[in-house]
Amino acid sequence: MLDLLVAALKEKGLVKAGGKQRTDSTHVLAAVRELNRLELAGGTVRATLEALSAAAPHWVAKTLEVGGWNRRYGRRIDAYWRPPGSQTQRDQLALDYGRDAVALLRAVYHPATPVWLRELPAVQTLRQITVQNYLITTDSNGAEVVKRREADTDGLPPGRIRLTSPYDLDARYGTKEDLHWTGYKLHISKVCQPSPDDKTPRPGRQARPPLPNMITHVATTDATVPDVKLLEPVHQALADRGLLPAEHYLDSGYASAELIVGARAAFGITLVTPLLTGTSRQYRENAGYQREAFAIDWDARQATCPQGATSRFWSPAKQKGRDVVVVRFDQADCGPCPVRAECTNATRWGRQLTLRPRPLHELIHANHTAQQDQEWRAKYALRAGVEGTIRQAIAVTGNRRARYRGLGKTHLEHVYSAVALNLIRLDAWWNGQPLDHTRTSHLARLDLTLAA
């Protein structure tokens, strides 16, 4: 439906290739309860018992001691339940859940058990969650021991494959700064028109743009997929619709120096986005000598520090699969330097810089320099409008929480949401309704007034 609607809009000239578009993402809560590892272990055993009791009640009655299992798993694990107060009791309960999971799986996989039982989705889910959270080992006497996996010693699966619920196998646990959630991410791409110079809109409103700001694409991923992984798929989807923008406005989570170069080469798109600064102490504290303070002579393969010392080592290398140049200064120069504390904490060697290859380094430097320019900031402010679209998706179509389980159904919900929002926007545009201004808090407005 979104393809058909966007194609119709394109045919009528209401959306066009070129121009400007902006993309941003927001978190989506899965339609399941958020469980900790203890609740997940017990809840998965219960879900499997429910599925087996529905599919093969006679086998359950014959194989299991139903009364005992029902006392432990008859009610939902997180309903009217408080975890034990002490860590020792919680650890013991976690082991009990693990032993029950292993015992149930062995009963299902017993040669005398009908083969089709082990093919039930709930059984496969129990098997996967048990493997991800428990180990079967032997003690010094050769006895079998079921133990809980510990991240530091035994390792846990990476977040992208670790199941977080027995009921939604696509939901994942995501983090973004201080935000933590179980579910998905929604990415919205939309056309953005600069505000026209119209002096007649109602107070608190912007004049109607010459063309409506339509949503051109939506994408849904699990919560662990970083935004930067979505840029190329978004561009490809827009290319398939014949709606590639000339300029694409993004936050720093979507961009990298390689993607800026690649988007221009592959799609002819200029990315308007700030690139992330470094992760060194100087960048984190915004103090001391940052990388930009050093003069780089690429032809001489040498760097010069603000105090005039030159580097002694220049080594091309690979870090995390990326080409870099490692530049290091000699301890003899850095040791007696009067501003050493502002430059490096290293005690055994001098200051070290990690540079990208020359074209990327110069692009990053130009980007960081441009971010300080007021004209660039005013241009980049156009990106902020996508926040209003996300707010509309949350407030009007309820996209903060998924209505259904699974990535496929959740994405279908997001597609229908985009269609609904486009129809709402078309109705407003056709009827001459001006755009709302982005809401600003009273405190932020006062700060802007004082700064002016």
Side-chain angles (χ1 to χ4, degrees):
M1 287 190 67
L2 183 60
D3 289 341
L4 290 172
L5 178 58
V6 171
L9 293 171
K10 183 180 177 184
E11 183 180 350
K12 295 179 181 297
L14 295 176
V15 294
K16 300 176 182 179
K20 307 174 190 292
Q21 292 193 40
R22 49 197 173 193
T23 298
D24 203 2
S25 68
T26 189
H27 64 286
V28 178
L29 306 178
V32 293
R33 292 177 181 269
E34 188 167 321
L35 305 174
N36 58 39
R37 287 184 66 196
L38 181 60
E39 295 167 337
L40 175 64
T44 306
V45 174
R46 180 182 182 275
T48 307
L49 287 168
E50 286 290 292
L52 289 170
S53 298
H58 298 296
W59 178 86
V60 173
K62 178 182 177 182
T63 307
L64 305 178
E65 199 281 294
V66 176
W69 287 87
N70 183 56
R71 282 190 293 273
R72 291 194 298 277
Y73 300 103
R75 292 194 305 174
R76 204 174 63 220
I77 297 299
D78 59 336
Y80 310 107
W81 177 81
R82 291 183 180 179
S86 72
Q87 184 62 48
T88 301
Q89 291 175 318
R90 289 194 294 271
D91 291 343
Q92 183 57 50
L93 184 57
L95 291 178
D96 291 341
Y97 286 153
R99 294 188 187 106
D100 286 346
V102 172
L104 187 56
L105 285 169
R106 284 184 171 158
V108 172
Y109 277 82
H110 192 276
T113 299
V115 174
W116 63 269
L117 281 184
R118 68 187 66 170
E119 297 173 358
L120 291 175
V123 172
Q124 293 301 313
T125 300
L126 175 64
R127 182 175 181 272
Q128 187 171 349
I129 289 178
T130 303
V131 169
Q132 290 182 350
N133 289 277
Y134 291 93
L135 286 173
I136 300 177
T137 62
T138 55
D139 60 17
S140 56
N141 298 320
E144 181 180 278
V145 176
V146 176
K147 59 169 291 191
R148 199 181 192 195
R149 282 185 179 271
E150 299 299 336
D152 296 335
T153 56
D154 307 309
L156 290 172
R160 65 181 181 274
I161 64 171
R162 192 187 311 166
L163 300 186
T164 59
S165 169
Y167 303 107
D168 188 342
L169 305 186
D170 294 327
R172 295 292 184 268
Y173 182 75
T175 60
K176 187 174 183 180
E177 297 177 350
D178 58 347
L179 177 66
H180 308 274
W181 78 100
T182 296
Y184 304 94
K185 276 186 183 180
L186 165 62
H187 301 259
I188 298 178
S189 301
K190 59 173 291 247
V191 175
C192 52
Q193 306 288 343
S195 300
D197 296 327
D198 191 337
K199 306 299 183 181
T200 61
R202 288 178 287 168
R205 301 272 182 157
Q206 299 181 47
R208 191 186 80 162
L211 291 175
N213 291 332
M214 295 285 99
I215 295 173
T216 55
H217 181 65
V218 292
T220 309
T221 69
D222 72 66
T224 65
V225 178
D227 292 349
V228 71
K229 296 290 187 182
L230 263 290
L231 187 60
E232 289 187 9
V234 167
H235 285 166
Q236 189 58 59
L238 293 175
D240 294 341
R241 291 191 171 109
L243 289 175
L244 282 172
E247 293 183 346
H248 198 173
Y249 290 73
L250 306 152
D251 65 26
S252 56
Y254 282 94
S256 68
E258 291 89 346
L259 288 175
I260 290 178
V261 174
R264 184 180 293 275
F267 300 102
I269 298 175
T270 298
L271 300 187
V272 183
T273 175
L275 290 176
L276 292 173
T277 56
T279 58
S280 67
R281 171 178 61 89
Q282 291 82 4
Y283 284 107
R284 292 196 307 271
E285 299 175 358
N286 194 25
Y289 291 137
Q290 300 174 359
R291 185 170 51 236
E292 288 76 11
F294 293 76
I296 310 298
D297 188 337
W298 292 91
D299 297 326
R301 296 163 61 91
Q302 200 169 57
T304 303
C305 80
Q307 298 296 312
T310 56
S311 61
R312 300 296 179 90
F313 304 93
W314 180 285
S315 304
K318 275 191 176 292
Q319 291 183 358
K320 298 180 180 179
R322 302 189 308 178
D323 292 325
V324 298
V325 176
V326 177
V327 180
R328 196 166 72 229
F329 289 78
D330 196 280
Q331 172 67 5
D333 295 323
C334 294
C337 181
V339 293
R340 177 187 178 90
E342 298 181 32
C343 190
T344 180
N345 290 333
T347 58
R348 298 179 58 189
W349 50 76
R351 174 68 184 267
Q352 178 174 298
L353 302 175
T354 301
L355 310 177
R356 303 306 310 280
R358 184 173 184 174
L360 297 182
H361 175 84
E362 292 175 347
L363 185 152
I364 294 169
H365 181 72
N367 183 278
H368 289 169
T369 302
Q371 292 176 40
Q372 310 305 317
D373 183 71
Q374 199 62 35
E375 183 178 345
W376 187 93
R377 292 183 180 183
K379 177 180 180 180
Y380 181 67
L382 189 62
R383 189 214 69 89
V386 73
E387 305 284 354
T389 305
I390 288 178
R391 171 59 186 165
Q392 188 182 28
I394 293 169
V396 177
T397 58
N399 284 151
R400 175 62 72 224
R401 180 176 289 278
R403 291 177 174 84
Y404 312 103
R405 297 171 186 169
L407 182 61
K409 290 182 180 180
T410 301
H411 177 61
L412 181 62
E413 175 190 339
H414 293 161
V415 170
Y416 277 108
S417 170
V419 172
L421 294 177
N422 274 346
L423 294 176
I424 291 170
R425 286 164 173 261
L426 276 175
D427 176 74
W429 187 79
W430 273 326
N431 287 284
Q433 179 179 341
L435 300 177
D436 283 336
H437 278 299
T438 301
R439 287 178 172 82
T440 306
S441 70
H442 293 290
L443 181 61
R445 194 179 299 118
L446 176 61
D447 183 50
L448 289 172
T449 303
L450 295 176

